[in-house]
Amino acid sequence: ADAVLLETLVPNAVYIARQALSSGECQEWINYAEEGSSSRWDEVSHPATKWIAHRECGRLQRNDWNMSHRLYQRIEKIVRQISPQLDIFDKASLLSNEAKFNAMTESDNRLPRYQPVSCNPNLRLYKYTKGQWFGRHVDESNKVDFPGNNNNKRHRPRSRFYFIYHRAGEVRRRFHLPHNGTSNNGKRKKGGGSSSRSGMAFTPEEGAVLLHVHGDRCLDHEAEPVLEGVKYVLRTDIVYGIL
């Protein structure tokens, strides 16, 4: 595949790769989502509360290991361009597996690394029509059960940042920066937040991929209301593990 130009929207937090998917690939995903009855879309509609953000959209959700790994292979070059720029490290998992890693090192003279391994099999397609939006929120980092890894749940691979492919209507996605201009730290609730319009904004483009660190370092972010047309979003997460 041709090299994709990677842009930094927020250092150590938000990156954009334009034209990562072709127009034809975007249309294939839309055709898949829209084939058959419109009732395939689950209606998501809830107001903001203390714990969750306002959200209105349609959603298709599917667990598919085969497709998720194909997606990872599709964007692996992009992920590996970004990964060295991020301080993503799971010291606890490395230390807890010290004996196993010592044996590995003795046998093949290789040090284990915490690195991207695949995409979350939980694939989500979202559809935002005119007037629909997603309020200000943060996203958690989640542990993922890989096939054949069920006996080691304490140290399961964990999602570290997510990517979104866009087929856009007229809309922007906004990221709110803390005062020091870096990613946030510490525990925060998933919903709420002020309605300030400060921060960095990205206007979605067809085939663009947006990657955003989540978990404790996730920036507050929101999807502003669609003004015209329809916005389609393909969402999954990049999963990190020890290899």
Side-chain angles (χ1 to χ4, degrees):
D2 294 335
V4 175
L5 179 63
L6 190 65
E7 300 176 26
T8 301
L9 185 63
V10 181
N12 303 313
V14 185
Y15 301 85
I16 301 162
R18 303 181 191 276
Q19 298 180 332
L21 276 186
S22 69
S23 180
E25 288 173 308
C26 291
Q27 190 60 52
E28 285 180 10
W29 278 102
I30 294 172
N31 292 344
Y32 161 75
E34 297 290 3
E35 68 183 11
S37 171
S38 61
S39 62
R40 295 186 69 207
W41 293 96
D42 294 326
E43 183 178 339
V44 179
S45 180
H46 53 72
T49 70
K50 182 178 180 180
W51 301 110
I52 62 173
H54 169 96
R55 190 170 202 177
E56 288 183 277
C57 65
R59 177 177 61 201
L60 282 176
Q61 194 164 349
R62 172 179 169 182
N63 282 293
D64 189 327
W65 273 109
N66 180 54
M67 180 56 71
S68 67
H69 195 63
R70 287 172 63 190
L71 279 174
Y72 178 72
Q73 292 174 322
R74 185 71 173 80
I75 65 160
E76 185 173 6
K77 289 184 179 178
I78 299 171
V79 173
R80 295 199 177 277
Q81 273 185 265
I82 295 172
S83 191
Q85 304 176 41
L86 305 174
D87 184 23
I88 295 179
F89 183 69
D90 193 338
K91 183 177 181 180
S93 291
L94 287 170
L95 290 176
S96 66
N97 287 274
E98 184 175 5
K100 180 178 73 174
F101 296 147
N102 286 340
M104 288 170 56
T105 302
E106 290 174 3
S107 64
D108 61 12
N109 198 30
R110 179 176 66 87
L111 291 175
R113 291 188 302 141
Y114 193 66
Q115 59 184 300
V117 293
S118 191
C119 287
N120 191 332
N122 182 18
L123 301 175
R124 286 141 284 174
L125 277 165
Y126 295 108
K127 178 181 180 180
Y128 291 84
T129 57
K130 185 175 181 178
Q132 292 186 324
W133 55 287
F134 192 2
R136 189 168 172 175
H137 65 287
V138 294
D139 292 290
E140 297 175 333
S141 176
N142 300 301
K143 290 185 177 180
V144 177
D145 281 322
F146 269 49
N149 196 47
N150 293 332
N151 294 325
N152 193 24
K153 291 187 177 181
R154 184 179 177 187
H155 306 298
R156 288 175 293 181
R158 181 182 288 272
S159 63
R160 290 301 186 182
F161 62 95
Y162 68 75
F163 75 88
I164 297 177
Y165 285 119
H166 287 97
R167 170 82 180 256
E170 206 172 314
V171 67
R172 291 186 300 181
R173 189 173 189 88
R174 185 174 295 276
F175 298 86
H176 300 270
L177 306 182
H179 293 303
N180 62 2
T182 61
S183 300
N184 289 313
N185 291 302
K187 300 293 184 181
R188 288 158 298 137
K189 61 187 180 182
K190 294 181 70 176
S194 71
S195 59
S196 169
R197 291 299 180 194
S198 63
M200 302 292 292
F202 168 65
T203 301
E205 303 169 5
E206 182 182 68
V209 58
L210 183 146
L211 301 102
H212 177 203
V213 174
H214 61 204
D216 290 344
R217 296 168 52 195
C218 183
L219 295 176
D220 292 337
H221 57 285
E222 62 186 312
E224 296 180 0
V226 174
L227 304 179
E228 295 290 342
V230 178
K231 179 179 74 170
Y232 291 94
V233 177
L234 170 60
R235 158 74 193 268
T236 187
D237 313 290
I238 305 300
V239 179
Y240 275 63
I242 301 170
L243 294 176

